[in-house]
Amino acid sequence: MNLRIVRAIAAVTLREFWRSPDAVFWTYGFPLLMAVVLGYAFHGQAPEPLPVAVVDGPAAEALAERLRGSERLRVEVLPAEAADRALARGRVALLLRGDAAAPVLRNDPSRPDAELARLLAERELRPPAERAPPIAVEVEDRPGSRYIDWLIPGLIGLNLLGAGMWGIGFNLVHLRTQRLLRRLIVTPMRPREFLLGFLLGRGILVVPEATVIALFGVLLWGVPFRGSVLAFALLVLVGGFAFMGLGCLLAARPRTIEAIAGLTNLCQLPMWLLGGVFFSNERFDGWLAGLVEAVPLTHVNRALRDVMLEPAGVADVLLPLGLLAAFGGLCFALAVRWFRWT
Amino acid sequence: MTGGDLAIELRGLRKTWRGAGWRGGGKVTVAVDGLDLDVRRGEVFGLLGPNGAGKTTTVEICEGLTVPDGGSVTVLGRRWGGGDDQALRQRLGVCLQESKFHEKATVRETLRLFASFYPGGRAIDEVLALVSLQEKADARQSALSGGQRQRLAVATALLGRPELLFLDEPTTGLDPQSRRQLWDVVRGFRRDGGTVVLTTHYMDEAQQLCDRVAIVDHGKVIALGTPVELIRSLGAEHCIDVDVEPGALGARVTAADLQALPGVQQCECDGARASLTVASVHRALPAMLELLAARGVPLRGLATRHATLEDVFVRLTGRHLRDEGAQ
Ligand SMILES: Nc1ncnc2c1ncn2[C@@H]1O[C@H](COP(=O)(O)OP(=O)(O)O)[C@@H](O)[C@H]1O
Ligand SMILES: [Mg+2]
C-alpha cells in the first residue's frame, strides 16, 4: 500500500466534492434542512386532535356534540358517502353512525391512531358516572426523552448511510461511466489504493456532517449530549466506514447509473424501515426482529442514542464498533476483489 | 520468451465482444481475429485502419486493460497476470481513446495525481513544457479545448518516463496545429529512445509519423511494412484522379478501358471520378487524355499526386479508410 497514492486520490476526491456547489448542498444543506423541518414538526407540541366523522342523519348532531366533549377529537358531520371515503383514505381515524344511545363505530384497527380514536370516542359516549376515576397523567417532556431527542441521532445515522450509498456508491459508478477509472487502472496504482483513497476523501466529510446535525439538535432544541465525545466521533467514523464499504461493494460491478440507483434503493429501503430512524424498531418480534438486528443502521442508531441520550462511553459501544468495523472491512475487501474498472 | 529487441509480441490474438442488452445479447462482434504483430524497440509503430477495425481492442489488450479470448501477449518481455503487473505498468505510458480526468481538477492537479503513481518520474513543469500547456496549468479540465485535453492526456502518459507509449487515436478531432504539436511530442519521445504504438485512421499521420505501419481491417493485419514499402507494393507510386461528367464512366469509358492504358496498374471508379494508380505519369497521362477525347468524354477535373497509404488500403479492401458507413 503506497500512502502517497492514497493521499493523492483522497485529495483529488475531496477537491472534486468541494468544487461542486450542488454536491455540497445535497450533502450538508439538505440534511440540515430536514433536521430543522422535522425538528419543528415534532418538537414539544400538544398532539394534534384525531379526526373522526359522524354520518349525517337525524341524531348526528347530538352524537357529534357528545364527542366534542373530548379535546383530543376533532369531529365533523359528513354525508354517508363522503364519510366512507374519508375513512378509506385515512383522513379520519374513526366513523360513527346512529345515535348516542346505540352508536355503531367503524375503523381499520391496523391504521395508526384508529384504536386510540375508538377508545376516546367510547369514553365520551359513556355516562359520566361510568367513566374511570381520574388518573394522574404526567407528560414526558424532560430533555432526553422527547421524540426530537430520539430523532436527532437517527438523522445522523441516516446521513452516514446516505454518505456511503450516494457519496461513495453512486460516485464510483459515475467515474466508471465517465471512463475515468479505466485511465487510472492502467497506471501502477493498485485497486486497493484507489478505493481506500476515494473512501478517505469522501469519508472525511462525515465528521463535520454529523457534528453539524448534532450541534443543531443540541443548540436549537436542547437535545442532550450526555456521553463521551470520543465515542461519538468513533461511531461516526466507524459507522461511516461501514456504509462506505457497503457503497464500494454495491458499486463494484454496475456499469450504469440506473443499476447503481436501483441497488442503492434496494439496500436503503429496508434500512430506512428497519433501522430505527423515524420510528422505533425495538418492538418488532419474530423474524422481523432478526432482520432489525441484521441491519447495520440499527447498530449505528442504537449506539448513537446511547452516547447522546445516556452517558455511554467508548467501552459501552465497543461491541457495535467492532461489528460495524468488521462489516465495513468485509464489504471493502469484497469490493476490491470484484471491482470492475471498465 | 522473446529477444530483447521486441517491445511487443502478439501471437494469434483474438477477442470477441458480446453486445449488451436484451436484443444485443445475441450479437457477437469479432474485434480481433487471429492477429500477429511484432513491435520493435525504439520505433514508432502505427496501427492504421478504419473505425471498428479492432485497433482500440488490440492496444487495450497490450495495455492489460482487456483480457483476450485467445493468443499470447508479451509486452516488454512480460505477460499480464504474471504477478507483477504493477512493475510492468511502471514502464508504460498510456493515452486511451477519449480518456477523461477529474472535471474540476486543474491541469496541474491532474498531473500531480498521476505523478504520485510514478516515483522518480518527470517533474510536472517539465511535462507541461513538453506538451506546451504551461499557460493552462491552472485551468480546470472543463475549461480546456479538445486539443488541450488531448495534450494533457499525453502529458499524463509521459510523466512516468515510460519505455513504451500507447497513443490511441491521439489526434482525432484536433485542429491541424494541435496535430502538429502532438506529432512533435511523439518524435521527441522517440528521439530519446522510446517506443510508440499509435493507432490512427488518418493515413497522413501514419505516413509522416510511423517507422512501420500495420494496416488493420476486421481484426486482422492485412499489410505490414514501412510507409514507403507499403506504397511501393502498389507497384506504382503516383495517382491520377480524373473527374468526368456523371454517367460517362461505365458507359462511354469503362474501368477496363482505363486499366488497359500503358503504365496503369489499377483503376478505381467511383461515380464521376476515376482514380488511376500509375507507375509513370508521363506515359499514362497522354494515353488517357487521348482515350477520353476519342470517346467524347469531356474532362471536368484532373489531378496527379503521390500514392498514399489510403490508396494501399483501397487496393486491399476496395473501401476507403474513412468510410462514413463503417460503424
Ligand atoms: N466494449 C465493447 N463491447 C462491445 N463491442 C465492442 C466493445 N469495444 C469494441 N467493440 C466492437 O469491436 C469492434 C472493434 O472496435 P475497436 O477495437 O474499438 O475498433 P477501432 O479502435 O479500430 O475503431 C467494433 O465493431 C466495436 O463495435
Ligand atoms: Mg478506436
Side-chain angles (χ1 to χ4, degrees):
Chain A
M1 186 80 72
N2 181 334
L3 290 183
R4 199 165 94 105
I5 297 182
V6 174
R7 197 152 12 100
I9 297 280
V12 79
T13 304
L14 182 60
R15 221 166 20 224
E16 206 69 0
F17 170 79
W18 259 148
R19 291 181 184 169
S20 320
D22 45 348
V24 174
F25 171 76
W26 289 109
T27 309
Y28 284 106
F30 179 69
L32 264 189
L33 215 66
M34 193 155 107
V36 171
V37 169
L38 288 176
Y40 269 114
F42 291 117
H43 121 274
Q45 290 162 353
E48 286 282 306
L50 298 171
V52 301
V54 175
V55 176
D56 207 0
E61 260 319 315
L63 181 56
E65 218 29 66
R66 284 284 289 278
L67 294 170
R68 285 189 184 112
S70 162
E71 76 252 27
R72 295 290 320 275
L73 295 178
R74 198 181 69 231
V75 188
E76 39 184 345
V77 178
L78 293 173
E81 201 181 312
D84 267 343
R85 197 166 340 113
L87 182 66
R89 291 292 168 83
R91 273 201 306 275
V92 297
L94 179 70
L95 188 151
L96 300 96
R97 28 178 217 278
D99 59 29
V104 180
L105 276 59
R106 200 146 78 100
N107 72 358
D108 171 0
S110 68
R111 289 210 191 233
D113 294 341
E115 287 295 273
L116 177 59
R118 182 177 63 81
L119 291 173
L120 287 169
E122 281 177 6
R123 182 171 176 274
E124 285 311 311
L125 294 176
R126 258 181 234 136
E130 285 181 26
R131 293 184 192 171
I135 299 169
V137 176
E138 291 176 349
V139 175
E140 176 65 287
D141 60 355
R142 292 163 302 168
S145 314
R146 302 160 305 171
Y147 181 65
I148 182 73
D149 303 324
W150 189 85
L151 183 64
I152 288 289
L155 286 180
I156 295 174
L158 194 65
N159 254 276
L160 294 177
L161 175 67
M165 306 297 261
W166 297 105
I168 299 283
F170 197 77
N171 280 301
L172 277 176
V173 175
H174 180 68
L175 293 184
R176 183 178 297 126
T177 63
Q178 290 282 296
R179 303 165 73 84
L180 193 128
L181 294 181
R182 58 196 343 258
R183 176 63 189 95
L184 291 175
I185 202 62
V186 292
T187 68
M189 175 199 80
R190 287 182 171 79
R192 56 176 183 273
E193 289 162 350
F194 172 79
L195 285 176
L196 188 62
F198 193 82
L199 220 130
L200 287 176
R202 299 289 308 203
I204 202 85
L205 298 166
V206 300
V207 176
E209 226 177 291
T211 309
V212 165
I213 299 180
L215 274 180
F216 247 74
V218 170
L219 297 180
L220 215 54
W221 296 295
V223 174
F225 195 109
R226 294 178 177 141
S228 130
V229 175
L230 177 65
F232 179 81
L234 281 174
L235 271 173
V236 167
L237 283 173
V238 175
F241 173 69
F243 294 129
M244 285 188 272
L246 183 60
C248 282
L249 183 58
L250 292 186
R253 305 299 294 175
R255 284 200 165 113
T256 61
I257 293 294
E258 287 79 7
I260 185 66
L263 274 177
T264 300
N265 284 331
L266 188 72
C267 257
Q268 251 185 347
L269 192 67
M271 296 227 222
W272 279 61
L273 292 179
L274 299 174
V277 177
F278 297 106
F279 50 89
S280 173
N281 58 357
E282 308 282 353
R283 286 179 308 190
F284 291 114
D285 44 38
W287 58 275
L288 263 180
L291 265 184
V292 161
E293 294 305 313
V295 163
L297 187 57
T298 301
H299 300 279
V300 174
N301 285 347
R302 196 182 284 152
L304 281 172
R305 286 183 181 125
D306 286 349
V307 167
M308 287 185 70
L309 308 182
E310 282 159 47
V314 176
D316 301 306
V317 293
L318 276 183
L319 180 65
L321 280 177
L323 283 176
L324 290 166
F327 175 80
L330 178 69
C331 288
F332 185 78
L334 290 176
V336 170
R337 181 101 177 249
W338 290 335
F339 205 78
R340 195 204 293 269
W341 299 88
T342 57
Chain B
M1 284 261 247
T2 57
D5 56 337
L6 284 188
I8 297 178
E9 190 183 335
L10 304 178
R11 289 293 173 267
L13 200 63
R14 316 191 144 268
K15 178 72 195 182
T16 305
W17 293 112
R18 201 167 292 277
W22 311 117
R23 294 273 167 76
K27 195 177 160 271
V28 165
T29 313
V30 180
V32 182
D33 189 9
L35 185 133
D36 299 321
L37 211 60
D38 289 333
V39 176
R40 300 177 192 141
R41 284 186 197 254
E43 71 178 350
V44 176
F45 189 92
L47 286 170
L48 176 68
N51 272 331
K55 305 181 297 292
T56 296
T57 308
T58 305
V59 293
E60 289 189 351
I61 288 172
C62 296
E63 292 157 3
L65 198 56
T66 300
V67 180
D69 297 332
S72 72
V73 184
T74 313
V75 179
L76 299 175
R78 292 171 179 271
R79 284 164 195 254
W80 291 114
D84 205 7
D85 289 0
Q86 254 57 41
L88 181 50
R89 294 195 190 286
Q90 200 78 49
R91 301 161 68 194
L92 306 181
V94 174
C95 178
L96 299 174
Q97 185 169 4
E98 298 173 50
S99 26
K100 291 259 178 62
F101 301 101
H102 291 92
E103 274 299 306
K104 304 210 162 58
T106 66
V107 167
R108 188 182 293 283
E109 286 160 355
T110 299
L111 290 173
R112 204 176 291 145
L113 172 66
F114 279 81
S116 75
F117 306 150
Y118 301 99
R122 286 192 166 90
I124 286 167
D125 287 312
E126 186 190 339
V127 282
L128 277 175
L130 267 178
V131 299
S132 326
L133 270 182
Q134 297 99 319
E135 283 110 273
K136 288 287 170 183
D138 296 314
R140 289 193 191 175
Q141 181 71 209
S142 45
L144 299 183
S145 72
Q148 289 161 344
R149 277 174 186 238
Q150 197 59 37
R151 275 185 277 153
L152 172 60
V154 175
T156 61
L158 291 174
L159 261 171
R161 298 182 199 280
E163 292 166 47
L164 174 56
L165 181 63
F166 291 99
L167 302 173
D168 195 356
E169 309 236 0
T171 65
T172 297
L174 298 195
D175 56 278
Q177 194 200 344
S178 306
R179 294 183 74 197
R180 294 261 141 64
Q181 265 175 332
L182 267 178
W183 289 0
D184 287 339
V185 173
V186 173
R187 291 193 181 108
F189 179 78
R190 187 197 156 215
R191 210 177 308 120
D192 297 339
T195 309
V196 182
V197 173
L198 159 109
T199 80
T200 183
H201 61 259
Y202 296 120
M203 55 89 195
D204 57 332
E205 185 160 281
Q207 208 157 332
Q208 301 213 13
L209 203 54
C210 297
D211 298 306
R212 289 196 309 141
V213 173
I215 299 184
V216 186
D217 194 35
H218 298 308
K220 288 194 176 84
V221 175
I222 57 173
L224 174 74
T226 66
V228 173
E229 281 167 3
L230 287 171
I231 291 167
R232 206 170 276 152
S233 72
L234 288 170
E237 286 174 38
H238 296 275
C239 287
I240 303 176
D241 296 327
V242 233
D243 294 325
V244 298
E245 70 185 27
L249 284 175
R252 278 173 280 173
V253 177
T254 66
D257 293 336
L258 292 168
Q259 193 138 9
L261 293 171
V264 175
Q265 291 288 323
Q266 172 86 10
C267 174
E268 301 280 339
C269 290
D270 183 9
R273 159 170 289 209
S275 287
L276 311 180
T277 336
V278 302
S280 49
V281 180
H282 66 278
R283 291 204 304 143
L285 189 56
M288 185 197 71
L289 292 173
E290 210 169 292
L291 176 71
L292 291 181
R295 303 276 170 98
V297 180
L299 278 186
R300 293 236 168 133
L302 176 70
T304 70
R305 56 183 173 83
H306 283 285
T308 63
L309 289 174
E310 173 98 23
D311 300 305
V312 178
F313 186 79
V314 171
R315 164 78 70 85
L316 291 170
T317 65
R319 289 178 288 122
H320 286 271
L321 273 172
R322 301 181 65 193
D323 264 346
E324 299 307 315
Q327 230 208 358

